[in-house]
Amino acid sequence: MGSGYTRPGDLSITAGTFSINEIFRSRPVIGDGWSCRAGYRRGLWNCMAISPASSSNLEWLARMLLPEEKEAAQVLTKEVEAKLGRSRGERPIPLYHPFLFGSPYEAPASASLFGVQSWHDRADLFQAMIEGTIFNHREHVETLRQTGDVHRFGVSGGGSSQASIAQMFADILNMPVEISSVREAGALGAALTASVAVGLYGDLEEAVAAQEIPMNVYQPDPARARIYEGIYRRYVALTLAMKPFWSGLYEAGSEVSGGSETPVGPVMNYALSAEIAKEMHS
């Protein structure tokens, strides 16, 4: 609501502690890779694909690299921005699986950095984590697109208000991305809901329309989108390759899934796109 999304076909990402990806539909759509629940009004349904694998990764690395810095994530983001002026293809960056706290998969998963070299610096590692978390969002988005057409696409949280990260979302997802000018979209959504409850507006659509929230729109750069397409497919290929080894990384009796001694966030039965899986196996 706080991002101005109220109609079927509106897809929103919240890049926070969890990777939250939601799209409204005018009817319930059932599938393996998402949950479907009643929307905020009759005739509206919310399809959601979620995993505990988003910006919490960045906070963890920032604390590790700059333990004395209170604004560590912001410091590292500025270092990354200073390098983003060059083409992504000119500067090899490691690949990262953002599964520190959980993943979209039923199998136990763990975070991994691939392709790290001695000449990589902390900005390279931080960029790898940013890209990895957006790749995870893209997997969820690809699944949600199976539910129908997407008319609008917006991102909030996770530093998305910063131009470089917002552009990265547009390039990796290869679609126009809207960023609300409202910094705390969730708080605005709560306030709009309250305004309807006390009778200031007749419904949430009216309340949202009355705000006239300015949006910053980021268009995907065709050259970078092509580069990220190849990198994303390598990300997916590495996911498929690592799945058989994840459970063996833990000693018997202390598996990530099922045991109360090693709690993780909830995971979903997540089906990779058949097209991508077929290409990766070939």
Side-chain angles (χ1 to χ4, degrees):
M1 299 299 100
S3 295
Y5 283 21
T6 59
R7 298 180 177 86
D10 287 351
L11 192 155
S12 63
I13 274 180
T14 303
T17 303
F18 272 63
S19 170
I20 302 176
N21 312 272
E22 309 170 88
I23 189 165
F24 285 133
R25 293 297 178 205
S26 57
R27 61 180 179 85
V29 185
I30 308 303
D32 290 335
W34 63 89
S35 62
C36 185
R37 62 185 65 180
Y40 64 87
R41 62 168 172 79
R42 289 184 180 273
L44 195 67
W45 297 82
N46 188 9
C47 296
M48 307 173 67
I50 297 173
S51 61
S54 190
S55 61
S56 49
N57 285 264
L58 310 181
E59 296 167 2
W60 173 84
L61 182 63
R63 290 196 304 267
M64 294 285 287
L65 294 177
L66 299 172
E68 304 301 325
E69 178 63 59
K70 291 183 179 181
E71 303 295 333
Q74 288 81 348
V75 171
L76 290 172
T77 300
K78 289 181 180 179
E79 291 184 11
V80 170
E81 287 178 323
K83 295 187 174 185
L84 287 178
R86 289 176 283 172
S87 170
R88 175 60 172 79
E90 296 175 1
R91 183 167 55 88
I93 298 295
L95 269 171
Y96 178 67
H97 283 164
F99 309 141
L100 281 175
F101 304 100
S103 79
Y105 314 109
E106 287 185 332
S110 60
S112 302
L113 276 165
F114 301 91
V116 180
Q117 300 290 328
S118 62
W119 44 265
H120 283 125
D121 59 22
R122 65 189 186 190
D124 294 327
L125 299 182
F126 201 66
Q127 181 174 340
M129 281 203 168
I130 295 173
E131 292 175 352
T133 59
I134 300 176
F135 289 149
N136 185 62
H137 279 287
R138 174 169 167 172
E139 286 204 58
H140 286 305
V141 169
E142 293 292 336
T143 297
L144 288 176
R145 294 183 76 166
Q146 298 175 29
T147 67
D149 294 335
V150 178
H151 301 145
R152 295 176 64 195
F153 186 86
V155 181
S156 62
S160 59
S161 59
Q162 296 175 296
S164 59
I165 295 179
Q167 186 62 51
M168 206 179 291
F169 268 101
D171 293 339
I172 290 175
L173 297 167
N174 197 17
M175 62 179 70
V177 168
E178 296 181 348
I179 307 294
S180 173
S181 59
V182 176
R183 183 174 180 180
E184 295 294 343
L188 176 59
L192 293 176
T193 303
S195 73
V196 174
V198 300
L200 293 179
Y201 297 101
D203 55 37
L204 276 169
E205 285 90 341
E206 179 186 348
V208 169
Q211 306 311 306
E212 298 183 356
I213 302 168
M215 292 286 185
N216 298 313
V217 181
Y218 293 82
Q219 299 290 338
D221 178 88
R224 289 198 178 196
R226 285 193 296 272
I227 292 171
Y228 273 124
E229 182 66 25
I231 298 170
Y232 172 69
R233 290 183 178 274
R234 289 199 293 273
Y235 170 93
V236 174
L238 282 167
T239 300
L240 294 172
M242 286 299 297
K243 277 186 177 182
F245 298 98
W246 280 333
S247 60
L249 296 175
Y250 303 93
E251 295 179 1
S254 60
E255 290 86 359
V256 172
S257 59
S260 60
E261 295 180 359
T262 312
V264 296
V267 297
M268 298 172 60
N269 180 14
Y270 187 87
L272 286 172
S273 161
E275 176 186 353
I276 292 178
K278 181 178 179 181
E279 180 171 333
M280 291 303 100
H281 283 299
S282 64

